[in-house]
Amino acid sequence: MSDTVEEKIKNYRTAPFDARFPNTNQTRNCYQNYLDFHRCNKALSAKDQDVAPCEWYQRVYKSLCPMSWVSKWDEQIEDGSFAGKI
Amino acid sequence: HALMIVFLISTLVLYIIVAMVSTKLTNKYILDSQEIEIIWTVLPAIILILIALPSLRILYLMDEINNPLLTIKAVGHQWYWSYEYTDYEDLGFDAYMIPTQNLVPGQFRLLEADHRMVIPVESPIRVLVSADDVLHSWAVPALGIKMDAVPGRLNQTAFIASRPGVFY
């Protein structure tokens, strides 16, 4: 929290421990970060701000989510059939 | 030490049994004793609860101490594993078991794979196990890990390989 977002992204190794998801089941961790990335992009670009801080969520979901899930969700977003609220 | 304690306790118990059985004193007038029976039921129950609650909390806390340096995804298919290393780039590969007839002398039957999962030594690693089709289970007994691979679910397990080598 003392690092800026850029420093945290630059020193990124892997998704850190997230206290919201302390248990074995990390499915929601992956999904939440995917949602947060897209919501962050949508919110910041609606205000015409720099979307660089959203990169953190992208790094985390790329670390956690299987590639097949990510490509399926990306296709659904393009089709407009994605079930999550973005 | 342990054997000494075993002998000590068995001698004590045997002596008490013999002493109880071979005495001429008998007490015919005590019929029940509700108070002390309640005490020596409730008190151990309370003591056990006082032991169990922190123990359970520590069990879950132990799962949390985890600062992995690398995240690997192991996805089960019928019938191979695919490994994904996506912390920096999208790297993924499939690992099929080497059939018995293709083994080279020195290799282990049913254990060898064409592409092994490579990990850095002495580093905490997080493995997220999932499956593509049916239930599978990912295990490396030499590292003490086993985790079920459930389609649609990501199960986390963590370990540290403390020495270089090949683990099965």
Side-chain angles (χ1 to χ4, degrees), chain A residues 26-34 61 65 69 73, chain B residues 154:
Chain A
Q26 296 289 298
T27 319
R28 198 75 203 179
N29 194 354
C30 142
Y31 187 60
Q32 193 60 49
N33 280 289
Y34 185 80
Y61 89 66
C65 304
W69 293 10
W73 291 336
Chain B
L154 269 187

Side-chain angles (χ1 to χ4, degrees), chain A residues 1-5 7-8 56:
Chain A
M1 261 122 27
S2 50
D3 288 341
T4 62
V5 180
E7 279 173 33
K8 284 207 304 187
W56 174 260

